[in-house]
Amino acid sequence: MDFKEVSPVQWTCGHVREWLNANDHSKLSYLLCIEHDIDGKALLLLTESDLRSNSLGIRALGDLKRLSLSIRQLQIEHSDAIAQMGYDLDEILQTPKGTSGCYRMCSHGSVKDRLLHKDASISGLLERTGPNYQSDPENPGLQPEIGKTFLSLFYLFVVTWITAFVMVVVHDRVPDMKKYPPLPDIFLDNVPTIPWAFSMCELTGTLLLIVWLGVLTFHKHRFILLRRFFALSGTVFLLRCVTMLITSLSVPGTHLQCNPSVDDDWHRLFTEEMYTSLSRKIQRAYIIWRGAGMSIQGVRTCGDYMFSGHTVALTMLNFFITEYTPRHMYFVHTFTWMLNMFGIFFILSAHEHYSIDVFIAFYITSRLFLYYHTLANNRSLMMRDSNRTRIWFPLFSFFESSVDGIVPNEYESPLVPLGKLFSIIYRRVFHFIRDSHIQLVGKRTKNPDTKTD
């Protein structure tokens, strides 16, 4: 009987030999069927690790890969038979150790295309056995890892304090406006100063922040998003500290008053005695940190020009919103990009930064965001040279170590995680009370109370 008329589970070695010949693997039939007695059941359970083993001894890499691809196609076509034997198809199709992370996705994609060309009705099965499929409906590959999220928040907290202190230092080093006039700038030289523009920039940033908080509220993987936001923001602002310290640019506008402000805190702290006092610098840094460096919060500094922190905040918020909202929400994406561009325009119109400050801030923020997500979404780039990745991207390697592939834009009610939290607490309290009761009953059984007259 022809092997096509029999289920692979019932194949004999002869059927396996026919299958090998039909799929252009005839030169391996002796090795598999005669030397190793591979029947249908054994063939369905073969993995590439088995094919690479010394016992088989397949030396030609091309033969090994082509045979592995044919076997994977057979396994997907007969996944039900594998399940009936008590095996998990997803485990059998795992990438073998020592191979690139791209192998599983690429080979599975080739098989998928070939199978869909033959029979489109098995698309559902292919989705269930795809490289991004998780057998657990809760997707264990995307755990929230709340501890790492709080660690990234602490990282951002430390960086914001460093940034505030550096802003105090560069304010003291700002060049004298009378000796060093504003540098030539194409935009600033041709656009008059708009006094209220900088406040409008900060209002647009606040609006972007509100939209981002809305996305976080309903996104299912909110802790992963927060972790990435904190890590990227902290890294960009830490780089900004370095650029601010290296070069002090002259004040971009003559309208800026780089002197003590009328604000009570600033008027009290900007005195001659504080220039040599570290404690006073820390107090000034706290005022900057408390107001998030925003002029609408009463913070006024000079010298922190290279590069624009406001542009960093606007761009980071815009990119995160557009990345983690569905592609069909064109209105939201257009709206956030408009806010980003208008915010940059308001910064320049207020003559608070040079054009180069804004351009470099946008470029660095957008490139770092794209580089980070390119590595995160393509695990093969990480696996190609993991040691180098850990050296050059230590934060990325740590925070993304448990995230496998692209984070899907899935949404849920914010009450769902609260319900899960309450459920966990309830179960633990219930088990604790139950175990305590059982232990108490056990003690009473062993030591019954004795009655006394």
Side-chain angles (χ1 to χ4, degrees):
M1 185 178 293
D2 187 66
F3 73 93
K4 295 181 180 180
E5 301 176 2
V6 183
S7 172
V9 178
Q10 300 175 351
W11 282 0
T12 63
C13 292
H15 291 124
V16 172
R17 188 183 305 110
E18 293 178 9
W19 178 84
L20 290 171
N21 295 336
N23 288 275
D24 300 326
H25 306 300
S26 55
K27 58 183 177 181
L28 298 174
S29 60
Y30 180 84
L31 175 67
L32 295 176
C33 300
I34 304 300
E35 292 188 11
H36 293 278
D37 194 27
I38 300 295
D39 59 4
K41 292 181 180 179
L43 183 66
L44 285 175
L45 300 179
L46 279 179
T47 65
E48 186 167 334
S49 298
D50 298 329
L51 299 180
R52 288 175 175 273
S53 63
N54 295 329
S55 59
L56 280 178
I58 302 178
R59 297 183 178 180
L61 182 62
D63 292 339
L64 187 149
K65 288 293 184 180
R66 284 187 289 270
L67 177 60
S68 175
L69 188 60
S70 298
I71 293 176
R72 289 163 72 89
Q73 177 182 351
L74 183 69
Q75 290 167 339
I76 293 175
E77 289 177 339
H78 299 278
S79 59
D80 294 339
I82 294 176
Q84 290 176 0
M85 289 190 292
Y87 288 87
D88 185 2
L89 177 62
D90 192 54
E91 293 181 359
I92 295 176
L93 295 179
Q94 287 291 339
T95 304
K97 295 181 180 179
T99 60
S100 169
C102 180
Y103 171 80
R104 183 183 176 199
M105 290 184 287
C106 295
S107 60
H108 186 274
S110 302
V111 174
K112 179 178 178 179
D113 293 339
R114 290 167 61 184
L115 293 177
L116 287 176
H117 180 71
K118 291 182 177 180
D119 185 4
S121 63
I122 63 173
S123 59
L125 170 63
L126 295 178
E127 291 299 326
R128 295 195 300 272
T129 58
N132 295 325
Y133 171 73
Q134 299 289 342
S135 58
D136 187 350
E138 295 296 329
N139 199 347
L142 292 175
Q143 296 299 324
E145 296 184 296
I146 301 177
K148 287 186 178 181
T149 303
F150 278 105
L151 191 60
S152 65
L153 175 61
F154 177 75
Y155 168 67
L156 179 61
F157 174 80
V158 172
V159 170
T160 53
W161 261 104
I162 295 173
T163 303
F165 188 81
V166 170
M167 290 174 70
V168 173
V169 173
V170 298
H171 181 93
D172 298 341
R173 293 174 49 201
V174 66
D176 185 7
M177 297 177 63
K178 296 180 180 179
K179 183 183 284 189
Y180 301 97
L183 298 173
D185 187 285
I186 294 178
F187 188 93
L188 303 186
D189 293 343
N190 292 279
V191 176
T193 304
I194 303 177
W196 48 265
F198 202 58
S199 297
M200 286 298 299
C201 161
E202 294 178 344
L203 290 176
T204 58
T206 304
L207 188 55
L208 278 171
L209 178 61
I210 293 173
V211 176
W212 172 233
L213 291 176
V215 174
L216 288 173
T217 301
F218 293 97
H219 204 286
K220 183 177 181 180
H221 308 292
R222 55 184 66 84
F223 288 104
I224 298 177
L225 274 58
L226 275 173
R227 187 162 65 244
R228 292 179 173 182
F229 182 79
F230 293 150
L232 283 171
S233 300
T235 302
V236 177
F237 276 99
L238 190 61
L239 178 60
R240 181 173 180 258
C241 293
V242 177
T243 59
M244 285 192 297
L245 281 172
I246 290 176
T247 304
S248 296
L249 299 178
S250 59
V251 180
T254 55
H255 67 289
L256 297 174
Q257 299 296 323
C258 294
N259 295 313
S261 171
V262 296
D263 182 83
D264 292 338
D265 288 335
W266 287 83
H267 181 71
R268 175 169 52 83
L269 293 174
F270 275 81
T271 57
E272 291 294 330
E273 62 184 26
M274 64 86 187
Y275 285 105
T276 57
S277 173
L278 178 61
S279 62
R280 290 296 180 89
K281 290 186 187 311
I282 293 176
Q283 291 181 51
R284 294 166 60 197
Y286 170 71
I287 296 175
I288 296 174
W289 180 84
R290 181 186 64 189
M294 300 175 66
S295 62
I296 59 177
Q297 296 288 336
V299 177
R300 300 175 183 86
T301 58
C302 294
D304 54 327
Y305 300 126
M306 183 58 69
F307 42 89
S308 169
H310 283 70
T311 303
V312 169
L314 292 168
T315 307
M316 191 69 73
L317 288 169
N318 172 32
F319 272 66
F320 266 94
I321 292 171
T322 54
E323 176 70 18
Y324 293 108
T325 49
R327 294 293 174 262
H328 65 269
M329 298 181 67
Y330 303 113
F331 172 78
V332 175
H333 300 164
T334 304
F335 178 67
T336 57
W337 269 103
M338 288 178 61
L339 289 178
N340 193 177
M341 295 298 105
F342 271 107
I344 291 175
F345 172 77
F346 287 140
I347 294 172
L348 295 174
S349 299
H351 289 210
E352 293 281 347
H353 277 281
Y354 291 104
S355 301
I356 189 65
D357 302 345
V358 172
F359 174 78
I360 291 179
F362 181 85
Y363 183 82
I364 289 178
T365 306
S366 60
R367 293 313 97 183
L368 188 61
F369 178 92
L370 294 175
Y371 294 158
Y372 189 101
H373 283 78
T374 299
L375 284 174
N377 296 340
N378 296 272
R379 301 293 294 178
S380 59
L381 297 180
M382 283 187 61
M383 298 175 65
R384 190 170 300 167
D385 194 345
S386 58
N387 291 330
R388 183 177 298 178
T389 303
R390 293 190 185 96
I391 294 173
W392 287 103
F393 307 102
L395 283 176
F396 170 83
S397 299
F398 175 72
F399 289 132
E400 301 294 327
S401 60
S402 301
V403 180
D404 187 12
I406 300 174
V407 175
N409 288 327
E410 301 172 342
Y411 298 90
E412 66 181 9
S413 169
L415 299 178
V416 172
L418 292 177
K420 292 180 180 178
L421 178 62
F422 287 136
S423 177
I424 293 173
I425 295 175
Y426 172 78
R427 286 199 303 269
R428 291 187 176 181
V429 172
F430 174 78
H431 289 313
F432 174 77
I433 296 175
R434 185 191 63 183
D435 295 341
S436 300
H437 177 71
I438 292 174
Q439 292 177 2
L440 183 60
V441 172
K443 290 181 179 178
R444 290 181 177 178
T445 303
K446 292 180 180 179
N447 303 306
D449 293 337
T450 59
K451 295 183 180 181
T452 60
D453 293 334

